[in-house]
Amino acid sequence: MNTMDFQLFSEIVHARSGLVLTEEKVYLLESRLVPLARRRGLDSLEDLGNEVRRHKDERLMTEITEAMTTNETFFFRDNKPFEAFKNVVLPQLLQSRAAKKSLRILNAACSTGQEPYSLAMLLKEEAAKMAGWRVEIMATDISNDVLEKAKAGLYSQFEVQRGLSIQLLVKYFQQIGEMWQIDSSIRAMVKFQNKNLLDDSSALGQFDVIFCRNVLIYFDQKTKIKVLGSLHNILVEDGALFLGGAETVLGICDDFKPVDGQRGVYTSVTGGLMAATG
């Protein structure tokens, strides 16, 4: 790939998603965009770049962005955050929300749906403690393609083997040919919506818990500040923000503070309940 085309594609992706592509990511650009060029009947990435320059095709630039922003995911990824949610965050929320019996969770940058469905299964397993509760899980992503897959809840043998216990597979999935489909009761717990993390999120309302894991690592400092500020605005004061293990708010956003003893879990600096967790 020549330098001009790399710069063109990386600028498109950064402007539309915040994703920063450095020169060592050339291989990633090539692996993701060559199939797109072929689907468009083009012979090379140089032809793809020329197509963009000639026509300024909005749909094509969206396809380029979506191709580059689809991230790897799997069920109960890293596991620790789900343990912290189940054993630390959820008990406190069940106590503090006992009067209204309502819980809202946002999973930002949900990709193909394994993370929000992991949360849904976890909550389903806790059903005895949550009788009469209204639980909403909203999952967002910039890519319509991955959202369609997520809505279908249909996964390959390889995908269900990654992080999912055999007990949960048998309990919540049905085999369809060589694929596995998650139960309709779990799918009904998650509402999927196309949403760009760079856009204003206030219309989504307020959330008690936000999962936004393994996303900030792809952003530059300015974009991280913007995204964390936006997430802080929609997180209730005593709510919890879950980030990836390699991510932090420290030195980036003063609106959050770590929850003691819980790696990757943050709460508002003005919050009370979660801040008291030890």
Side-chain angles (χ1 to χ4, degrees):
M1 182 187 301
N2 64 54
T3 303
M4 285 180 59
D5 288 335
F6 174 80
Q7 186 174 353
L8 172 67
F9 297 139
S10 59
E11 285 176 355
I12 289 171
V13 173
H14 182 261
R16 289 165 176 260
S17 72
L19 181 68
V20 176
L21 295 171
T22 53
E23 290 185 2
E24 62 265 23
K25 298 291 186 181
V26 167
Y27 75 93
L28 186 61
L29 266 168
E30 292 175 340
S31 66
R32 298 282 183 89
L33 296 187
V34 166
L36 171 58
R38 288 174 180 162
R39 287 198 302 271
R40 286 261 175 168
L42 303 170
D43 294 329
S44 66
L45 292 183
E46 185 177 351
D47 290 341
L48 183 63
N50 290 335
E51 185 81 359
V52 172
R53 293 184 187 95
R54 275 196 302 266
H55 302 294
K56 302 294 183 184
D57 183 339
E58 183 66 25
R59 177 57 194 163
L60 177 55
M61 288 190 281
T62 298
E63 288 177 0
I64 290 169
T65 304
E66 290 193 359
M68 296 309 304
T69 53
T70 302
N71 296 317
E72 181 185 57
T73 185
F74 47 94
F75 291 100
F76 295 96
R77 183 176 183 178
D78 304 330
N79 203 42
K80 289 289 186 183
F82 297 95
E83 291 180 0
F85 173 73
K86 176 184 176 181
N87 299 323
V88 178
V89 176
L90 185 60
Q92 293 195 55
L93 292 176
L94 292 180
Q95 181 179 358
S96 62
R97 311 297 195 265
K100 64 176 185 176
K101 292 185 180 295
S102 177
L103 186 64
R104 295 193 81 220
I105 300 170
L106 173 65
N107 183 193
C110 68
S111 191
T112 45
Q114 285 94 322
E115 188 163 82
Y117 285 142
S118 295
L119 289 167
M121 285 185 281
L122 188 156
L123 289 168
K124 197 81 166 178
E125 292 291 290
E126 299 293 302
K129 302 176 183 177
M130 304 187 69
W133 279 70
R134 182 175 63 84
V135 178
E136 179 186 356
I137 303 173
M138 178 171 285
T140 64
D141 201 275
I142 192 175
S143 170
N144 285 316
D145 288 343
V146 299
L147 288 173
E148 287 305 310
K149 175 170 180 175
K151 290 174 186 176
L154 200 61
Y155 299 98
S156 67
Q157 183 72 37
F158 174 73
E159 288 171 318
V160 297
Q161 285 175 334
R162 302 187 75 194
L164 190 65
S165 70
I166 187 66
Q167 292 86 356
L168 291 179
L169 177 63
V170 171
K171 189 171 184 179
Y172 293 119
F173 286 76
Q174 177 184 0
Q175 191 165 14
I176 302 176
E178 296 183 352
M179 304 291 284
W180 292 84
Q181 186 168 40
I182 198 162
D183 190 80
S184 59
S185 66
I186 301 297
R187 279 182 279 144
M189 293 176 67
V190 184
K191 179 182 178 181
F192 292 97
Q193 182 174 330
N194 184 289
K195 187 70 178 174
N196 190 329
L197 275 172
L198 301 186
D199 295 338
D200 179 29
S201 298
S202 58
L204 298 177
Q206 295 284 294
F207 293 91
D208 303 289
V209 177
I210 297 176
F211 273 66
C212 185
R213 302 176 58 237
N214 306 302
V215 183
L216 294 181
I217 51 175
Y218 299 107
F219 295 156
D220 57 24
Q221 189 82 346
K222 182 179 178 180
T223 306
K224 288 177 183 178
I225 292 170
K226 180 177 181 179
V227 170
L228 285 170
S230 177
L231 294 178
H232 180 264
N233 289 338
I234 60 174
L235 183 68
V236 297
E237 196 172 47
D238 62 345
L241 169 67
F242 286 77
L243 299 180
E247 298 169 329
T248 183
V249 303
L250 302 178
I252 303 171
C253 179
D254 295 331
D255 295 324
F256 291 104
K257 60 187 173 185
V259 174
D260 291 342
Q262 304 300 323
R263 183 181 179 189
V265 189
Y266 301 87
T267 189
S268 172
V269 292
T270 57
L273 180 64
M274 288 303 305
T277 303

